[in-house]
């Protein structure tokens, strides 16, 4: 038995009631965990910031990896309205802004290439990160991406570009999971929402950067006008590799591997020694041990199969739907911003200028979301945002039936408003929700599955959206807003029925809420005693189900 009171047990641990915890952990460990949990709940935002400055730095630094993915997502879509790119790879299309167009089938292939690769990367990461550790997997992915970037830079055909997108998508899939999981694990409850939401800002930086680079190279009269945007991706490879190399490993992963002393060292590197004592660090690790044991009791094992059994099935459904609804909300129209605006009648240069404003909303909206997170819950913001997007999309769709310059400019303005709403609510809140709803033992795999759901939806949207707005295909233009408005309305209904409130909840509390099948709309008003004891009587045990009390 270790200093944390963990008994060595052969084979898998079976699901047991709370009495089993006292056979696995000694009373002192549970008491220490309770103390750490109480301190974390009572900590103010200011205290959390001072205590966890280092964790904030490392979380934000690692999230920078998503800049690379956000960059590419928009850069490919922007090329569909880029004169030199369409002349090089497109077909003659009279009536379009450039006179040429990339066939809808190839647009689908290019848009879906990175999504297909992302699914492969996500599946690999869900397994490899648990086995070898997030740091090793992340550094390997960065090296692989450095090599894969050569393919689109020197591509001579659309086929080669698609292959390059697929291969680059594999490491991007790894980045998507690891950055969100790390942000949700290294910080206390008070900072968790802000740092997971920051992931969306990194996406925004990449998207805005790609818009700027594509706009800057618009007037380059050669193939380098579309090759240079790919070249830029090499700029941050070395800095990102160094950040990952020197970053502290996730203490939660170390606890799951039984490396408790290393977990203490990691927590020490992530906290400020002026405010955190060695005893506080020990208590924090004890809390992680206790939460891990709670989840092991509910379900042993950490394979993908476990994500779809028992209480984790509901959690997996929620995180997968939360990410899939990012696209069901109509956000995919923003990714095709340039072509969508051109199909609505906006000129080439103005469409690229508006696209810059459109993509700046990722940064502005995320910053606004931090203020909203302080006052509102995750469920409230996500559901309200989805409802607002449905309304805006219906208006955009209605304007598609009006042929006038004013209607066209209004569509452009509403598209910017749509992106602002998305990035105040759905965009950043998605990362917060999937990081908090997933169990700590299955977090890597749950986030991977949620992102796979997004990628599958992205592939579907990559097939139908280009056809909706392509003048050589369905040519719906702004009328496509009606379709996505209906989709967003149905998603709003799902949020009301299934999306739980996770604000101010520790991971142990969330485990018990899901285990006791509390309805989504009662998460906020339900009181939980995850330790089943009072601090002054550490040997007293109370069944967790008796400690769940509904306040409403």
């Amino acid at each position: 038995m270790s200093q944390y009171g963990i008994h060595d047990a052969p084979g898998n641990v079976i699901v047991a009631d709370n009495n089993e915890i006292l056979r696995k952990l000694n009373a002192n460990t549970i008491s220490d965990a309770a103390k750490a949990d109480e301190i974390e709940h009572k900590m103010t935002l200011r205290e959390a910031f001072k205590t966890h400055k280092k964790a904030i730095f490392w979380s934000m630094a690692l999230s920078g990896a998503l800049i690379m993915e956000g960059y590419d997502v928009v850069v490919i879509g922007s090329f569909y309205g880029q004169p030199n790119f369409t002349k090089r790879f497109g077909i003659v299309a009279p009536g379009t802004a450039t006179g040429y167009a990339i066939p809808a089938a190839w647009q689908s292939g290019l848009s879906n290439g990175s999504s297909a690769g992302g699914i492969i990367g996500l599946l690999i990461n869900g397994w490899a990160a648990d086995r070898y550790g997030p740091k090793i997997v992340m550094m390997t992915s960065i090296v692989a991406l450095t090599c894969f970037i050569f393919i689109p830079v020197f591509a001579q055909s659309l086929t080669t570009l698609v292959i390059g997108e697929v291969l680059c998508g594999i490491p991007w899939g790894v980045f998507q999971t690891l950055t969100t999981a790390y942000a949700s694990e290294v910080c206390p409850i008070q900072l968790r929402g802000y740092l997971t939401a920051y992931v969306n800002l990194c996406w925004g930086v990449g998207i805005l950067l790609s818009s700027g680079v594509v706009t800057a190279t618009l007037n380059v009269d050669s193939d380098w006008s579309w090759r240079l945007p790919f070249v830029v991706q090499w700029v941050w490879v070395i800095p990102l590799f160094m950040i990952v190399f020197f970053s502290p490993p996730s203490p939660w992963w170390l606890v799951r591997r039984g490396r408790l002393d290393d977990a203490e060292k990691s927590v020490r590197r992530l906290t400020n020694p002026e405010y955190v004592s060695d005893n506080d660090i020990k208590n924090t690790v004890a809390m992680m041990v206790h939460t891990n044991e709670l989840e092991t009791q509910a379900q042993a094992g950490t394979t993908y199969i476990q994500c779809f059994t028992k209480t984790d099935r509901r959690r997996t459904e929620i995180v997968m739907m939360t990410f899939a609804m990012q696209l069901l909300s109509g956000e995919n129209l923003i990714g095709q911003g340039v072509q969508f605006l051109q199909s609505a009648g906006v000129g080439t240069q103005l469409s690229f200028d508006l696209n810059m404003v459109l993509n700046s909303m990722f940064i502005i909206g995320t910053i606004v979301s931090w203020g909203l997170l302080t006052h509102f819950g995750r469920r409230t913001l996500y559901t309200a945002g989805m409802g607002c997007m449905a309304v805006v999309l219906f208006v955009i769709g209605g304007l598609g039936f009006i042929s006038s310059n004013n209607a066209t400019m209004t569509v452009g303005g509403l598209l910017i408003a749509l992106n602002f709403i998305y990035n105040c609510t759905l965009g950043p809140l998605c990362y917060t929700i999937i990081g908090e709803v997933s169990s700590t033992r299955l977090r890597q795999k749950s986030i991977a599955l949620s992102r796979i759901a997004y990628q599958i939806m992205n592939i579907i949207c990559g097939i139908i959206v280009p056809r909706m707005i392509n003048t050589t295909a369905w040519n719906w233009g702004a009328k496509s807003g009606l379709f996505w408005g209906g989709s967003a309305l149905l998603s709003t209904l799902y949020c009301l029925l299934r999306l739980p409130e996770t604000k101010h909840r520790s991971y142990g509390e969330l485990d018990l809420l899901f285990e006791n099948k509390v309805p989504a709309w009662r998460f906020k008003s339900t009181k939980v005693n995850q330790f089943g004891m009072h601090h002054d009587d550490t040997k007293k045990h109370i069944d967790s189900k008796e400690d769940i009390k509904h306040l409403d």
Side-chain angles (χ1 to χ4, degrees):
M1 186 167 67
S2 74
Q3 62 173 311
Y4 289 90
I6 297 179
H7 294 274
D8 294 328
N12 292 328
V13 181
I14 62 172
V15 177
D17 61 23
N18 280 352
N19 288 315
E20 187 68 18
I21 291 184
L22 294 177
R23 291 194 286 269
K24 292 293 179 181
L25 308 178
N26 62 40
N28 289 335
T29 301
I30 300 175
S31 178
D32 290 344
K35 292 174 185 176
D37 181 78
E38 183 179 8
I39 290 173
E40 185 168 325
H41 273 87
K42 291 183 177 180
M43 186 182 296
T44 65
L45 181 61
R46 182 182 179 87
E47 290 170 343
F49 180 82
K50 291 192 296 184
T51 305
H52 294 81
K53 284 183 179 179
K54 296 178 183 177
I56 294 171
F57 168 78
W58 287 115
S59 176
M60 294 178 73
L62 281 175
S63 295
L66 269 300
I67 294 175
M68 302 182 75
E69 188 189 6
Y71 180 94
D72 183 79
V73 165
V74 170
V75 81
I76 285 294
S78 298
F79 285 160
Y80 302 152
Q82 215 264 19
N84 286 313
F85 186 85
T86 55
K87 289 178 183 178
R88 177 72 169 78
F89 298 112
I91 59 175
V92 177
T96 60
T98 64
Y100 296 85
I102 304 297
W106 277 109
Q107 286 189 32
S108 298
L110 288 168
S111 299
N112 293 335
S114 60
S115 297
I119 292 175
I120 298 171
L122 287 162
L123 288 171
I124 292 173
N125 176 73
W127 163 79
D130 279 337
R131 183 177 180 86
Y132 301 107
K135 285 185 64 172
I136 292 177
V137 176
M138 188 83 161
M139 289 188 289
T140 303
S141 299
I142 293 171
V143 172
L145 181 60
T146 305
C147 300
F148 293 153
I149 291 173
F150 278 98
I151 299 174
V153 169
F154 297 104
Q156 297 295 326
S157 67
L158 288 175
T159 302
T160 307
L161 276 174
V162 171
I163 293 172
E165 285 296 298
V166 172
L167 292 176
C168 287
I170 296 174
W172 286 331
V174 172
F175 298 161
Q176 294 162 10
T177 305
L178 291 183
T179 53
T180 305
Y182 191 84
S184 65
E185 290 184 345
V186 300
C187 291
I189 294 171
Q190 290 77 6
L191 299 175
R192 210 165 56 197
Y194 301 103
L195 290 175
T196 49
Y198 174 77
V199 172
N200 188 69
L201 187 143
C202 291
W203 262 76
V205 171
I207 290 170
L208 185 61
L209 181 62
S210 71
S211 300
V213 172
V214 170
T215 302
T217 59
L218 190 60
N219 296 320
V220 176
D221 192 21
S222 70
D223 283 350
W224 283 104
S225 62
W226 58 267
R227 294 188 196 275
L228 283 174
F230 287 122
V231 173
V232 172
Q233 293 182 93
W234 276 316
V235 171
W236 48 74
V237 167
I238 294 177
L240 182 59
F241 186 90
M242 298 304 294
I243 288 171
V244 176
F245 181 80
F246 288 108
S247 64
S250 167
W252 285 91
W253 179 78
L254 293 170
V255 166
R256 290 192 292 271
R257 303 295 291 183
R259 296 166 54 182
L260 304 182
D261 291 336
D262 289 336
E264 282 192 12
K265 294 177 183 177
S266 179
V267 172
R268 190 172 285 108
R269 288 188 62 191
L270 290 165
T271 52
N272 190 336
E274 295 181 12
Y275 302 97
V276 179
S277 65
D278 288 341
N279 193 55
D280 291 332
I281 292 173
K282 179 183 176 182
N283 292 347
T284 299
V285 174
M287 180 176 64
M288 297 177 186
V289 170
H290 179 268
T291 301
N292 187 64
E293 187 58 36
L294 275 176
E295 294 180 1
T296 302
Q297 278 192 30
Q299 178 166 244
T302 57
T303 67
Y304 278 110
I305 294 176
Q306 270 74 47
C307 292
F308 297 98
T309 58
K310 298 183 179 178
T311 58
D312 283 300
R313 180 170 56 246
R314 179 186 177 192
R315 303 173 87 154
T316 302
E317 172 224 313
I318 292 170
V319 297
M320 291 181 72
M321 280 300 298
T322 299
F323 236 136
M325 286 189 296
Q326 299 294 88
L327 291 170
L328 292 172
S329 69
E331 181 268 346
N332 46 83
L333 293 180
I334 301 166
Q336 302 278 347
V338 170
Q339 191 179 12
F340 181 80
L341 290 168
Q342 290 181 359
S343 69
V346 179
T348 301
Q349 186 62 52
L350 181 58
S351 67
F352 277 88
D353 291 340
L354 284 174
N355 197 46
M356 284 283 291
V357 179
L358 182 69
N359 292 327
S360 68
M361 294 300 106
F362 281 88
I363 298 174
I364 298 171
T366 302
I367 294 173
V368 172
S369 76
W370 289 340
L372 295 175
L373 277 168
T374 304
H375 302 288
F376 302 100
R378 284 70 157 133
R379 170 183 163 90
T380 301
L381 288 174
Y382 198 95
T383 306
M386 187 71 75
C388 290
M389 289 187 72
V391 173
V392 174
L393 284 163
F394 280 129
V395 175
I396 290 175
L399 289 171
F401 293 93
I402 302 174
S403 299
S404 69
N405 185 61
N406 289 335
T408 299
M409 295 306 297
T410 302
V411 167
L414 286 175
L415 200 63
I416 293 172
L418 186 73
N419 204 15
F420 178 73
I421 296 171
Y422 172 84
N423 286 289
C424 286
T425 54
L426 275 68
L429 266 295
C430 170
Y431 297 99
T432 301
I433 292 169
I434 64 173
E436 293 179 335
V437 169
S438 55
S439 66
T440 62
R441 289 173 58 79
L442 294 171
R443 179 166 291 131
Q444 295 287 350
K445 292 180 175 63
S446 294
I447 295 177
L449 288 170
S450 70
R451 188 64 185 179
I452 287 173
Y454 175 91
Q455 296 289 30
I456 291 173
M457 280 304 307
N458 201 34
I459 290 173
I460 295 172
C461 292
I463 294 172
I464 64 175
V465 172
R467 287 167 171 78
M468 285 180 175
I469 61 181
N470 196 308
T471 55
T472 63
W474 302 347
N475 194 27
W476 287 9
K479 298 184 188 71
S480 57
L482 294 175
F483 176 89
W484 294 111
S487 175
L489 187 62
L490 292 175
S491 297
T492 303
L493 180 61
Y494 174 88
C495 292
L496 290 171
L497 297 176
R498 300 292 290 171
L499 188 64
E501 181 55 71
T502 57
K503 186 177 182 180
H504 296 320
R505 293 293 191 185
S506 69
Y507 292 128
E509 289 174 329
L510 290 170
D511 289 337
L512 293 178
L513 287 167
F514 279 109
E515 187 178 348
N516 286 271
K517 301 179 181 179
V518 176
W521 57 88
R522 297 185 70 178
F523 263 56
K524 183 178 180 179
S525 60
T526 300
K527 184 178 179 181
V528 181
N529 181 352
Q530 62 174 310
F531 299 101
M533 67 175 65
H534 298 289
H535 294 177
D536 57 352
D537 187 5
T538 59
K539 297 195 182 280
K540 180 179 178 181
H541 174 66
I542 305 174
D543 190 288
S544 65
K545 292 189 178 182
E546 296 176 356
D547 285 333
I548 294 192
K549 176 184 177 184
H550 294 292
L551 302 180
D552 53 346

